[in-house]
Amino acid sequence: MESFVVSARKYRPLGFEEVVGQEHITTTLKNAIDNNKLAQALLFCGPRGVGKTTCARIVARMINGFEEKAEVNSLNIFELDAASNNSVEDIRNLIDQVRYPPQFGKYKVYIIDEVHMLSNSAFNAFLKTLEEPPSYAIFILATTEKHKVIPTILSRCQIFDFNRIQVSDIARQLKKVADREKIKVEEEALHLIAQKADGALRDGLSIFDLMVTFSSGKEVTFKDVINNLHILDYDYYFKVVDGLLAENATQPLLLLDEILRKGFDGHNFIVGLSEHLRNLLVSQDARTVGLMEVPDNTKKKYLEQSQASPSSLLLSWLNIASHCDINYKSSKSQRLLVELALMKMANVNAVFQSNGTAPVIEAVKKKLK
């Protein structure tokens, strides 16, 4: 059996042009290298799985003129995991290595991952070398928690802040991987995986591998993804809102019961419903439609439902859902709290009438006719 290589490693970018969603970083680094103006101490900050270590390796290869299109362990490139090598002794060993010039190539590059895990003593031992390194030494520090790096280290580094990767960018990259692997995938499935990745391409590729394994070479479908990742289908929220628009609390309550029986958490449901209502609000203006991170087919459904949903009504529902979300964890009867929220939403019009306010639902009914 051939050894399996996960997609995150197999498709790790080998050049700046392959890095996804970090154009502001890659352009700056490429220009610095081309113009011979690269700082000797760089700090890469950002969430997990967005390309910090990848960019560090690309920089190391480019400044040494390595043209190999594969990951190589070179005598010029040293990687240190600060999470497990965080003592003063570890840093002293690194400083001892720095004293010797490279045997070949122009630079020795030291990539220190999770640098915020270094102890204060280790940071202090590192200060002088970082401030005045030999001409042939480049230090690239990477961290997910910039605030934990001491100010004296920050002041000695050129700082690059990596962004969370957009859902559309992750979905596009997953499609490229699927095409290269000759795997059939539904666009909605890729979009859902990208959303679940939460801005980390590495997480997205890991989930993609899991779905491919589950499908056993067949098509990766939207239905398989929601079942395996335990995600609520968009259709549930559309049906709940349809029931609320009809001032019918029965349908939303029955749907909630079905959702809870499938093992979903009531808190996840109310958070998802809040997101759905928010998407309906932004669907009402052509300028804000792009704020929705959903597939095109789902976007059309939002646009249709938003036409029958007045903004004032959606804001009232969103306020109720928000209160339910805030009070959920402290509630003694969490299911009742969610059910009460749905009943309040279904009867918002009655509340308006009792307050002497013009009913909102009547406008909805006219639109639906």
Side-chain angles (χ1 to χ4, degrees):
M1 185 177 69
E2 292 183 12
S3 59
F4 173 70
V5 180
V6 294
S7 297
R9 283 186 58 200
K10 188 174 181 180
Y11 295 100
R12 182 189 285 270
L14 298 171
F16 285 137
E17 69 282 354
E18 298 176 25
V19 176
V20 178
Q22 308 295 348
E23 288 77 13
H24 65 297
I25 302 282
T26 56
T27 302
T28 305
L29 289 173
K30 190 174 185 304
N31 290 342
I33 294 169
D34 291 344
N35 297 318
N36 198 25
K37 291 184 177 179
L38 187 69
Q40 285 190 267
L42 310 174
L43 178 63
F44 291 173
C45 315
R48 70 186 190 284
V50 295
K52 298 185 297 297
T53 306
T54 294
C55 284
R57 290 177 180 177
I58 293 171
V59 169
R61 283 202 303 270
M62 286 186 69
I63 62 177
N64 277 301
F66 297 154
E67 298 297 332
E68 293 98 326
K69 287 297 180 183
E71 291 186 49
V72 291
N73 289 320
S74 167
L75 293 173
N76 290 51
I77 304 171
F78 302 87
E79 290 195 30
L80 178 73
D81 177 24
S84 53
N85 300 278
N86 56 8
S87 68
V88 175
E89 195 60 39
D90 293 315
I91 292 299
R92 281 178 182 159
N93 290 336
L94 185 146
I95 293 169
D96 287 339
Q97 291 180 25
V98 174
R99 292 174 185 165
Y100 302 101
Q103 298 300 307
F104 64 94
K106 296 178 182 178
Y107 299 96
K108 291 176 79 171
V109 183
Y110 297 87
I111 301 171
I112 306 178
D113 214 355
E114 301 300 337
V115 72
H116 65 272
M117 298 290 283
L118 289 177
S119 64
N120 279 335
S121 300
F123 270 131
N124 291 328
F126 193 30
L127 283 176
K128 191 63 178 175
T129 304
L130 197 63
E131 185 174 17
E132 296 178 0
S135 59
Y136 51 79
I138 302 286
F139 293 98
I140 304 178
L141 317 180
T143 179
T144 53
E145 300 184 54
K146 177 182 168 183
H147 62 280
K148 289 186 179 180
V149 180
I150 62 175
T152 46
I153 291 287
L154 293 176
S155 65
R156 287 164 169 79
C157 296
Q158 198 171 78
I159 300 172
F160 293 84
D161 290 302
F162 283 68
N163 296 329
R164 290 174 72 256
I165 303 174
Q166 297 295 315
V167 170
S168 56
D169 289 335
I170 295 177
R172 199 177 301 114
Q173 184 67 13
L174 293 177
K175 184 69 171 70
K176 288 180 183 177
V177 172
D179 290 342
R180 289 179 68 174
E181 294 290 327
K182 297 180 180 178
I183 297 167
K184 291 183 178 179
V185 288
E186 291 181 0
E187 184 187 343
E188 290 84 357
L190 291 180
H191 210 281
L192 201 56
I193 292 171
Q195 281 186 311
K196 192 71 174 177
D198 193 29
L201 180 56
R202 184 175 61 221
D203 290 10
L205 288 166
S206 298
I207 297 169
F208 175 76
D209 284 344
L210 180 67
M211 293 300 102
V212 170
T213 304
F214 173 80
S215 65
S216 190
K218 300 175 184 176
E219 185 177 12
V220 176
T221 64
F222 177 78
K223 187 175 180 182
D224 287 342
V225 173
I226 61 172
N227 288 337
N228 275 271
L229 299 184
H230 205 59
I231 298 171
L232 260 178
D233 195 341
Y234 293 113
D235 286 342
Y236 276 111
Y237 297 118
F238 283 110
K239 289 176 184 176
V240 166
V241 171
D242 284 340
L244 295 176
L245 287 170
E247 295 186 80
N248 177 14
T250 304
Q251 183 181 342
L253 290 174
L254 291 174
L255 285 168
L256 174 64
D257 180 66
E258 183 183 335
I259 289 165
L260 294 177
R261 284 195 199 195
K262 287 187 175 183
F264 289 97
D265 181 48
H267 197 193
N268 288 342
F269 166 76
I270 206 70
V271 169
L273 181 59
S274 298
E275 179 70 17
H276 183 86
L277 296 174
R278 175 261 184 193
N279 285 343
L280 287 174
L281 277 167
V282 300
S283 299
Q284 294 182 336
D285 191 323
R287 294 169 297 179
T288 55
V289 168
L291 297 177
M292 281 193 297
E293 294 183 331
V294 295
D296 290 338
N297 290 344
T298 308
K299 196 173 287 186
K300 290 176 183 176
K301 292 182 182 178
Y302 274 114
L303 290 169
E304 289 172 8
Q305 194 171 67
S306 68
Q307 297 303 311
S309 312
S311 299
S312 55
L313 183 62
L314 290 174
L315 286 169
S316 298
W317 288 347
L318 199 52
N319 189 39
I320 294 169
S322 178
H323 280 291
C324 181
D325 177 21
I326 292 167
N327 297 317
Y328 188 87
K329 288 187 178 179
S330 61
S331 175
K332 298 290 185 184
S333 181
Q334 295 174 333
R335 175 169 180 157
L336 177 60
L337 184 69
V338 178
E339 289 175 336
L340 188 60
L342 291 173
M343 287 186 278
K344 283 180 180 178
M345 291 180 195
N347 292 283
V348 162
N349 192 45
V351 174
F352 282 155
Q353 285 177 324
S354 66
N355 290 340
T357 312
V360 177
I361 298 290
E362 293 303 318
V364 176
K365 290 180 177 176
K366 288 179 182 177
K367 285 187 178 183
L368 293 174
K369 287 180 181 178

